[in-house]
Amino acid sequence: MSPLDDGFDSPPLFDGRKLKLTIYQDPTCPWCYIGEREMQWAIKILKEQELDVKVELEFRPFLLDPELPVDRPVNKREHYYQRYGNKATLWEKFVTARGAALGIDFKFGGPARSPLMCQRLIMKAGEIGGGEAQKALYEEISRRVLEQEKDVGCLRNLSESAAACGLMCAERAIAFLTSDQLQDEVEQEIALARQKGITGVPFAVINDKYAVCGGLPKEKYLDAFTKVVRGEVTETCSMNDRR
């Protein structure tokens, strides 16, 4: 865990019993799915240990690969091989094993494309139901894309996801997705994230002050969250272990 030098507000080091998590994510990223699953486990344990802690979630958009097309899918496996080269097979095996330990059944076939439209829907979820609604939608979409090989840019898939998690009916979701609502806002957030120095996800900002990056083990997240809640963080504390 490292302190943020700029780009974020800097509240007091110890803010009561509050844990605010701002999670930068890309629903097409296996490591984001892993990291989010690990974070939720850590939050559950934290609430059991710190009964009076208040947890606030916010999911913000990021594009791990800005070069992916928005208007058409490409072959996901070919995309991975272009991205990782000869290491793609080993990368898949490692991610698969890490996911299996968390109950995630990763699949690496199917289509790949930019999640830009999906990110608009996740931002809309925040407007409707806050961080918990975003969490439910993010998890539903990630499950479909990363475990069922669904298309992250498919209107039917996204509208069914919105309906499945109780966000809105499929018809309303399609009406939103075929408009340009929140397009500028999502693009601005993505640009701002890169201006803040975020180059990879998952990237979680804690209480607008500290950051943890990478798909960390649940114990690492729990340790970081607990230290912040208890006011035990020091400027020399480091939790940014790579995945």
Side-chain angles (χ1 to χ4, degrees):
M1 181 166 56
S2 58
L4 295 171
D5 297 325
D6 52 32
F8 292 89
D9 296 331
S10 296
L13 183 64
F14 180 57
D15 184 15
R17 305 293 289 179
K18 176 181 177 181
L19 181 73
K20 177 185 176 184
L21 285 180
T22 305
I23 303 169
Y24 290 83
Q25 47 69 37
D26 180 328
T28 68
C29 169
W31 284 111
C32 290
Y33 196 21
I34 289 171
E36 196 270 343
R37 183 71 61 89
E38 300 274 27
M39 275 187 252
Q40 293 305 324
W41 181 93
I43 289 170
K44 179 178 181 294
I45 300 300
L46 178 70
K47 287 182 176 180
E48 293 173 354
Q49 295 176 347
E50 311 287 337
L51 297 179
D52 58 344
V53 69
K54 179 182 178 182
V55 178
E56 177 184 329
L57 298 175
E58 181 185 5
F59 287 70
R60 292 191 184 178
F62 192 83
L63 297 183
L64 194 58
D65 188 351
E67 301 302 317
L68 277 172
V70 176
D71 58 344
R72 59 181 175 81
V74 298
N75 184 282
K76 184 187 294 185
R77 190 171 295 278
E78 290 180 2
H79 172 69
Y80 281 145
Y81 273 84
Q82 290 174 359
R83 185 180 182 91
Y84 297 107
N86 295 332
K87 297 180 180 179
T89 300
L90 290 176
W91 176 84
E92 284 186 11
K93 290 181 179 179
F94 184 59
V95 170
T96 298
R98 182 73 183 276
L102 299 169
I104 300 172
D105 184 19
F106 280 117
K107 299 289 192 301
F108 298 98
R113 75 164 101 184
S114 170
L116 191 60
M117 185 163 58
C118 166
Q119 295 286 20
R120 289 174 47 227
L121 190 60
I122 293 174
M123 183 177 283
K124 184 66 175 177
E127 291 186 351
I128 294 172
E132 289 300 321
Q134 288 185 305
K135 171 181 172 294
L137 181 63
Y138 168 82
E139 291 175 352
E140 178 67 20
I141 292 172
S142 294
R143 182 180 65 82
R144 289 168 177 252
V145 171
L146 296 171
E147 297 189 65
Q148 299 179 359
E149 301 182 340
K150 299 289 182 68
D151 185 351
V152 74
C154 171
L155 282 174
R156 179 176 179 180
N157 179 41
L158 293 178
S159 62
E160 288 179 351
S161 297
C165 65
L167 180 67
M168 64 179 76
C169 68
E171 292 76 11
R172 183 182 171 194
I174 289 174
F176 167 76
L177 291 167
T178 53
S179 73
D180 61 357
Q181 292 180 52
L182 298 182
Q183 180 77 23
D184 290 343
E185 290 85 347
V186 165
E187 291 179 349
Q188 288 167 8
E189 280 287 351
I190 292 168
L192 184 59
R194 292 197 176 273
Q195 289 173 16
K196 291 173 178 176
I198 299 173
T199 58
V201 285
F203 189 98
V205 179
I206 309 173
N207 286 5
D208 297 321
K209 180 68 176 178
Y210 295 96
V212 286
C213 61
L216 303 180
K218 54 183 72 70
E219 294 81 7
K220 295 283 189 179
Y221 284 121
L222 178 60
D223 185 49
F225 298 164
T226 302
K227 285 178 178 177
V228 171
V229 167
R230 294 179 178 175
E232 298 174 352
V233 182
T234 66
E235 294 298 312
T236 58
C237 176
S238 178
M239 292 288 293
N240 285 336
D241 298 83
R242 299 308 299 170
R243 39 186 177 250

